[in-house]
C-alpha cells in the first residue's frame, strides 16, 4: 500500500492534485492511501507514515521547505515532491531537503505520473536509502547520543539483549543500543524489508547472502539462527522481497 500525503493551503489546488493522483494510481493499478491537508501543522500532527509527500512551498503557517525538514526529522527519508508556482524555489527545495522532484503548478499529469512510477518501480531501493531516527541511543563506549539517523541499508540486524534490556542495532562496524519494546521496533522495520528470524531478532533481508536450513548467511560473513517455527513465514517474506511474488 502506497502512502501518499499532500499539503497545500489552496483548496482549489488541493482538489486538482487529488484528482490527478486518483487518476494516476487507477491507471497504473497501484493500491494507495491518500491523506490531504491544508495545514502544515495538521499534517505534522496527524500523519503517521509517508512514502510520497507532495507539498506546496508558499503557505502561511509554515513554508513547504521547513515543513519538508520537519517531516523528514519525524519520518526519515521519503519521496518528497514540491509543487509550486514559484520556480525560483527549485534550488532551495533540492539543496536544503533533497527533494525527490520539483513540479511547477498547474501540475502536469504526465510529469507527476512519471515521478509516481519511478518510485513504485524501485520501492526496495528507495526504502533502503531512507533514514530511521533513533533517540537517546547508547554507543559501544557507553555514551548517550540524543539523536542518531541511520540509513536502512546500513542496518544489518537488530537483536534484543535481555540482560541489558536494550536492543542492539548492528551495523557493519558499529553497534548502537536502544531502549525500546522489540515488537514496536520490529513492526516499524518490517515496512523497510526486515523479517523476524527468531524471538527478539530481526534481520535486513537485503543483507542476506543465502539461507541454508536454519542458518542465515549475511553478506558481511555473519551467521544468524532461523528458528523452525519462523521458517515458513521468513521464506515467504524473502520470496516477496526478492521476487515480488
Amino acid at each position: 500500500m502506497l502512502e501518499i500525503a499532500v499539503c497545500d493551503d489552496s483548496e482549489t489546488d488541493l482538489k486538482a492534485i487529488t484528482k490527478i493522483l486518483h487518476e494516476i494510481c487507477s491507471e497504473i493499478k497501484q493500491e494507495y492511501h491518500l491523506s490531504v491537508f491544508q495545514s502544515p501543522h495538521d499534517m505534522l500532527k496527524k500523519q503517521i507514515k509517508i512514502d510520497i509527500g507532495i507539498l506546496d512551498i508558499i503557505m502561511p503557517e509554515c513554508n513547504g521547505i521547513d515543513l519538508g525538514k520537519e517531516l523528514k526529522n519525524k519520518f526519515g527519508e521519503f519521496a518528497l515532491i514540491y509543487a509550486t508556482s514559484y520556480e525560483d524555489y527549485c534550488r532551495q527545495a533540492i539543496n536544503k531537503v533533497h527533494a525527490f522532484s520539483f513540479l511547477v503548478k498547474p501540475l502536469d499529469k504526465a510529469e507527476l505520473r512519471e515521478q509516481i512510477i519511478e518510485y513504485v518501480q524501485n520501492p526496495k531501493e528507495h526504502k533502503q536509502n531512507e533514514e530511521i531516527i533513533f533517540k537517546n541511543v547508547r554507543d559501544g563506549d557507553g555514551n548517550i547520543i540524543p539523536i542518531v539517523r541511520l540509513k536502512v541499508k546500513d542496518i544489518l540486524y537488530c537483536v534484543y539483549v535481555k540482560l541489558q534490556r536494550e536492543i542492539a542495532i548492528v551495523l557493519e562496524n558499529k553497534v548502537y543500543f536502544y531502549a525500546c519494546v522489540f515488537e514496536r521496533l520490529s513492526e516499524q522495520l518490517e515496512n523497510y524489508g526486515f523479517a523476524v528470524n527468531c524471538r527478539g531478532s530481526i534481520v535486513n533481508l537485503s543483507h542476506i547472502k543465502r539461507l541454508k536450513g536454519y542458518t542465515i548467511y549475511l553478506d558481511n560473513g555473519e551467521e544468524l539462527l532461523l528458528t523452525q517455527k519462523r521458517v515458513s513465514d521468513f521464506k515467504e517474506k524473502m520470496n516477496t522481497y526478492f521476487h515480488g511474488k
Side-chain angles (χ1 to χ4, degrees):
M1 178 75 72
L2 191 65
E3 189 68 42
I4 305 174
V6 182
C7 187
D8 195 312
D9 64 309
S10 167
E11 185 175 356
T12 300
D13 288 343
L14 200 58
K15 287 181 178 179
I17 294 172
T18 298
K19 181 176 182 293
I20 291 174
L21 285 169
H22 285 316
E23 291 176 355
I24 291 171
C25 290
S26 176
E27 289 169 4
I28 66 176
K29 296 178 171 59
Q30 173 63 49
E31 291 187 4
Y32 69 102
H33 177 261
L34 177 62
S35 302
V36 295
F37 302 92
Q38 283 187 266
S39 163
H41 295 319
D42 281 349
M43 187 177 193
L44 283 168
K45 182 179 179 180
K46 298 177 181 179
Q47 192 67 26
I48 59 174
K49 182 180 180 296
I50 301 179
D51 292 312
I52 297 176
I54 302 176
L55 309 180
D56 185 22
I57 289 186
I58 303 299
M59 293 183 285
E61 287 184 16
C62 167
N63 72 62
I65 294 175
D66 289 337
L67 175 59
K69 289 180 182 178
E70 290 291 330
L71 290 170
K72 287 198 171 186
N73 284 334
K74 182 177 181 180
F75 298 108
E77 288 300 312
F78 61 91
L80 178 55
I81 299 174
Y82 279 109
T84 183
S85 303
Y86 300 89
E87 295 185 58
D88 291 343
Y89 284 101
C90 179
R91 187 184 298 273
Q92 288 187 55
I94 292 174
N95 292 340
K96 290 189 177 183
V97 285
H98 306 290
F100 182 71
S101 179
F102 180 89
L103 302 175
V104 178
K105 292 181 179 180
L107 292 189
D108 181 84
K109 179 181 173 181
E111 290 183 351
L112 183 55
R113 187 176 191 274
E114 183 179 338
Q115 302 304 321
I116 300 293
I117 290 175
E118 182 180 341
Y119 181 89
V120 170
Q121 288 181 341
N122 299 286
K124 287 188 291 186
E125 179 182 341
H126 290 296
K127 288 290 185 183
Q128 286 290 315
N129 281 312
E130 290 182 21
E131 291 181 335
I132 299 178
I133 297 173
F134 297 92
K135 295 182 179 180
N136 298 317
V137 301
R138 182 172 60 85
D139 65 16
D141 296 321
N143 301 308
I144 302 298
I145 307 172
I147 295 178
V148 171
R149 303 172 66 102
L150 300 178
K151 280 189 178 292
V152 172
K153 65 182 179 183
D154 292 333
I155 303 173
L156 300 178
Y157 59 92
C158 297
V159 59
Y160 180 69
V161 183
K162 189 174 181 179
L163 290 176
Q164 299 173 195
R165 295 185 179 181
E166 293 176 312
I167 297 170
I169 305 170
V170 183
L171 284 64
E172 181 74 37
N173 298 305
K174 187 175 293 187
V175 178
Y176 290 107
F177 296 93
Y178 181 52
C180 175
V181 176
F182 178 79
E183 288 74 15
R184 186 183 304 163
L185 180 62
S186 64
E187 184 178 339
Q188 178 185 12
L189 292 178
E190 284 179 349
N191 293 322
Y192 292 93
F194 285 66
V196 175
N197 55 298
C198 64
R199 184 177 181 181
S201 178
I202 187 166
V203 59
N204 190 338
L205 295 173
S206 73
H207 285 290
I208 295 179
K209 188 175 181 181
R210 66 190 176 101
L211 173 63
K212 184 176 181 181
Y214 300 122
T215 304
I216 300 168
Y217 297 88
L218 301 184
D219 52 16
N220 72 330
E222 286 192 66
E223 299 176 10
L224 300 177
L225 171 69
L226 174 61
T227 55
Q228 185 175 1
K229 65 180 293 186
R230 302 277 183 181
V231 170
S232 178
D233 183 62
F234 192 86
K235 285 184 175 180
E236 182 179 344
K237 288 181 178 178
M238 274 189 64
N239 190 51
T240 300
Y241 182 80
F242 289 111
H243 305 293
K245 295 180 181 178

